[in-house]
Amino acid sequence: MSSVLEMIRGVASASPDAVAVSSAEGAMTYAELVAAADTVAAALQRAGVREGDVVAMALSRPHLPAGVLAIMAAGAAYLPVDTAVSADMVGTWLAECSVRTVLSDREPDNIPSSGRTLVRYDEVLRSEGGADAERHRSAAVEDALAYVIPTSGTTRRPKLVAVGHRGLAAHTRALRDACELKPHDRALQFHTINFDAAAEEIYPTLAAGATLVTLDEVPAPHELIVFCQEHQITVLNLPTSYWHQLAAEHTESLTTGLASVRSVVIGGEGAVAELATKWVRDVRIPLINSYGVTESTITSTWCLVEEDDAQPDVPIGSPIDGTTTRILDDDLNPTATGSAGELCIGGVGVAWGYLGEAGLTADKFRPDPYASTPGGRLYRTGDVCTEEHNGRIFFRGRRDLEVKVRGYRIDLSSIEAELTSLPGVIGAAAVQSAKTEGQLLAYLVTDPAPGNQVDADGARRHLEGRLPSWSVPHVFRFLTSFPLTSHGKVDRAALAARDAESALAAAQPVVPTKVAPESTAATVSGIWSDVLGVPDVTMETNFFEAGGHSLLAFRILSNIRRQLAVDVPAKTLFDTPKLGEFTAEVEALLVETERT
């Protein structure tokens, strides 16, 4: 079985002058890609990297393809490190993986340098050019480790999933063939490498001899439409939460701007049925809804969404090639068709397990009693699903307190444990917002005694550095007591209902004091209130402190464009996060637009 590196070497041999990667830095042919990978591989080996090592990697999008191939060519596996992760957490990962070498194109602030060698990708290529391009051949065999990637949902001991080359190669072939990728395709690389979905963009595209087109940073949906038109993108692979924002754009803009796009793959969260129906009926670009977990090599099921499929729920489809799925009860016995059970995944894509977590690995990765060949393993996802008579699977919820927010898997109990360790907090409950997509809410009951007061800023600061950035709640609310179920447990359904009521109240535009209802400020504040789910916004409200994040920023900018007919750059909101300052920028843009 060929590794992904060998597949891509084969493409480079057959079509050396074809464009492999297109970025703002320019185009890189397949011959140049392989030569760069081998040159960096040589530098890694000189730095002490040996077969079986794990190399930490912090690279920008244009350098990812050559960087991951270089680590493979050196016989090592890669551990992606994102700039948003705290240095303490990164240090834990590096120690768990015994990392001695870091490959980066910058000076990584959050990677502890003590006892580790930094290999600068950019400096190696500048100083060595294409040297040693023939010396280094892949040590990436099917029984070797390909990468280690952290899952979210933990605090001080992140779960690190070990994925082998055999599973990665099988996934690459399955996705290349299922997407019918051809050399003429131009696939967008949207994700950063800390998401395993980036591997789903990189490897199938390059294994097909197609062109991978990289972004400098994630654009607003309307900007993505322009980018796709300018770069003639044919295949998109997007987080579902981002696609929701894209699908809400005007149909005419979508059909015109995405005219070159022949397929859109979404995944990471449940798709909104109404938007899927609109997309299939009106936009008419084939939409593929996928489902996967890190522990089974990225994607396990998918389906082409038809208009009749999207109501009332969008199916997550059926298994991809090389993967098996079963809906099982607590004793791992099959459930009846249409009955709910735990989705369990088998096949070649099942990961090796969790590094340093033998007990958890034994619990979640079981011998597969249904495997057709000896040694098969079954991963218990913890997701409750049903399988209908037509073989399509539907997601119905979680067995535990793990949720997905913007594609990240988050263990709510870990958030609650950290909050209750804060002096003055009697109890804490974290929930996923029912109305504001991509938001986490934290409800706290605090000790009323003097000196024990806890505010939202203090709670947020307490969590930052202790949790991954994506696990820090966006909104903190305080209660005198929790609603309880008849069994005396926190009634999470009641908290979700409370969230829905707050969001409903927030849907009414809020007019700032001393501002006329028809003013720009009133429109902008109403949009903020609606999108953030915060009814009492003021000119001092800070977008990020009120629970804002990049996806909600895109929604705000999109609504402003619809209601005020002005394009506000995403950078404006990030540079001026206070409502009053941001509103002044919007007003200035409106004046400039009127002049032109």
Side-chain angles (χ1 to χ4, degrees):
M1 180 180 292
S2 299
S3 69
V4 293
L5 178 56
E6 290 168 331
M7 294 183 207
I8 295 166
R9 285 193 191 282
V11 173
S13 295
S15 305
D17 297 327
V19 176
V21 180
S22 175
S23 70
E25 296 182 2
M28 174 180 278
T29 67
Y30 273 89
E32 292 168 339
L33 172 67
V34 171
D38 283 330
T39 298
V40 176
L44 289 171
Q45 291 176 331
R46 287 195 299 273
V49 173
R50 299 293 179 261
E51 291 187 16
D53 283 356
V54 177
V55 175
M57 181 181 64
L59 295 171
S60 58
R61 283 184 180 87
H63 301 157
L64 280 176
V68 292
L69 296 180
I71 294 172
M72 291 179 182
Y78 63 84
L79 168 70
V81 176
D82 185 70
T83 55
V85 183
S86 69
D88 288 344
M89 185 160 290
V90 172
T92 301
W93 296 347
L94 301 187
E96 196 71 56
C97 297
S98 301
V99 170
R100 299 189 302 271
T101 309
V102 178
L103 176 63
S104 182
D105 51 12
R106 59 181 183 272
E107 293 293 335
D109 296 333
N110 60 337
I111 299 181
S113 58
S114 178
R116 297 181 179 90
T117 301
L118 175 63
V119 176
R120 283 291 298 261
Y121 171 92
D122 47 341
E123 293 177 1
V124 168
L125 291 184
R126 278 199 300 267
S127 63
E128 299 183 30
D132 296 326
E134 294 301 321
R135 276 186 49 196
H136 299 276
R137 287 304 162 198
S138 172
V141 294
E142 65 178 65
D143 59 351
L145 186 64
Y147 62 85
V148 178
I149 191 166
T151 63
S152 52
T154 54
T155 53
R156 294 176 180 85
R157 286 189 58 83
K159 291 183 291 186
L160 295 169
V161 180
V163 177
H165 276 287
R166 185 166 177 260
L168 181 60
H171 173 273
T172 296
R173 282 190 295 272
L175 268 291
R176 177 194 63 192
D177 298 344
C179 290
E180 299 181 342
L181 289 168
K182 305 297 181 186
H184 63 263
D185 275 312
R186 294 173 61 81
L188 181 69
Q189 189 206 330
F190 182 93
H191 300 83
T192 57
I193 198 64
N194 61 299
F195 257 141
D196 58 1
E200 186 168 275
E201 295 166 331
I202 295 171
Y203 303 125
T205 300
L206 298 180
T211 300
L212 188 71
V213 183
T214 71
L215 293 165
D216 289 331
E217 57 186 18
V218 176
H222 72 277
E223 295 170 336
L224 178 68
I225 294 173
V226 174
F227 185 92
C228 289
Q229 189 171 30
E230 291 178 347
H231 295 270
Q232 291 296 288
I233 301 298
T234 62
V235 178
L236 287 173
N237 192 323
L238 302 172
T240 301
S241 51
Y242 183 93
W243 173 79
H244 286 158
Q245 308 303 311
L246 180 67
E249 294 287 321
H250 291 299
T251 300
E252 184 178 352
S253 298
L254 292 168
T255 54
T256 302
L258 302 182
S260 62
V261 177
R262 64 172 183 80
S263 181
V264 176
V265 181
I266 60 173
E269 294 176 82
V272 174
E274 291 78 8
L275 287 174
T277 299
K278 172 201 169 188
W279 184 278
V280 173
R281 184 188 62 233
D282 300 334
V283 182
R284 297 183 178 277
I285 298 173
L287 178 68
I288 297 169
N289 190 37
S290 67
Y291 163 92
V293 290
T294 306
E295 292 88 344
S296 63
T297 313
I298 314 167
T299 293
S300 299
T301 71
W302 74 347
C303 67
L304 179 65
V305 180
E306 305 287 352
E307 186 172 348
D308 293 340
D309 293 334
Q311 296 291 344
D313 300 305
V314 182
I316 60 174
S318 53
I320 65 171
D321 286 348
T323 298
T324 63
T325 56
R326 298 184 187 278
I327 312 298
L328 305 177
D329 62 20
D330 290 342
D331 297 319
L332 299 186
N333 295 316
T335 60
T337 300
S339 297
E342 182 177 10
L343 177 62
C344 297
I345 301 172
V348 67
V350 175
W352 292 10
Y354 302 115
L355 288 186
E357 297 276 5
L360 185 60
T361 296
D363 178 57
K364 299 289 282 185
F365 295 83
R366 302 290 187 87
D368 187 353
Y370 307 99
S372 57
T373 56
R377 295 158 70 243
L378 202 63
Y379 175 69
R380 301 182 60 178
T381 67
D383 289 331
V384 177
C385 296
T386 59
E387 183 173 353
E388 305 306 320
H389 290 285
N390 59 9
R392 287 195 168 181
I393 299 169
F394 289 81
F395 175 79
R396 303 302 185 193
R398 285 290 304 173
R399 290 169 58 91
D400 50 26
L401 289 180
E402 191 172 79
V403 299
K404 269 194 175 182
V405 175
R406 290 177 284 146
Y408 290 102
R409 288 162 50 193
I410 298 171
D411 183 356
L412 299 179
S413 63
S414 68
I415 301 173
E416 295 168 359
E418 289 291 352
L419 286 172
T420 53
S421 72
L422 184 64
V425 175
I426 298 174
V431 298
Q432 188 174 11
S433 175
K435 289 295 182 181
T436 307
E437 183 183 351
Q439 273 197 353
L440 282 176
L441 311 177
Y443 288 91
L444 293 90
V445 175
T446 59
D447 186 347
N452 284 334
Q453 284 78 14
V454 178
D455 60 15
D457 288 341
R460 182 179 290 107
R461 286 194 299 270
H462 177 76
L463 294 181
E464 290 172 346
R466 291 177 170 86
L467 295 174
S469 59
W470 54 81
S471 291
V472 177
H474 306 91
V475 178
F476 293 81
R477 293 174 180 164
F478 294 84
L479 305 174
T480 56
S481 63
F482 286 124
L484 302 177
T485 67
S486 58
H487 297 287
K489 296 182 178 181
V490 174
D491 190 340
R492 295 178 181 276
L495 291 177
R498 183 189 297 263
D499 172 42
E501 291 170 2
S502 298
L504 182 62
Q508 303 303 318
V510 176
V511 181
T513 305
K514 299 180 181 179
V515 177
E518 67 276 9
S519 71
T520 299
T523 300
V524 174
S525 64
I527 291 171
W528 274 45
S529 177
D530 187 14
V531 171
L532 291 171
V534 179
D536 53 348
V537 297
T538 70
M539 292 295 105
E540 293 301 311
T541 296
N542 185 294
F543 172 74
F544 298 104
E545 293 175 359
H549 52 73
S550 58
L551 294 177
L552 293 184
F554 297 146
R555 182 180 293 178
I556 283 176
L557 300 176
S558 178
N559 287 348
I560 289 175
R561 188 158 56 89
R562 289 194 191 96
Q563 296 185 36
L564 296 176
V566 61
D567 283 328
V568 181
K571 188 175 184 296
T572 301
L573 182 52
F574 289 94
D575 288 347
T576 56
K578 285 189 176 181
L579 176 57
E581 298 170 351
F582 175 74
T583 299
E585 294 292 332
V586 174
E587 290 174 335
L589 285 171
L590 283 169
V591 171
E592 183 179 337
T593 301
E594 290 174 359
R595 288 175 179 170
T596 57

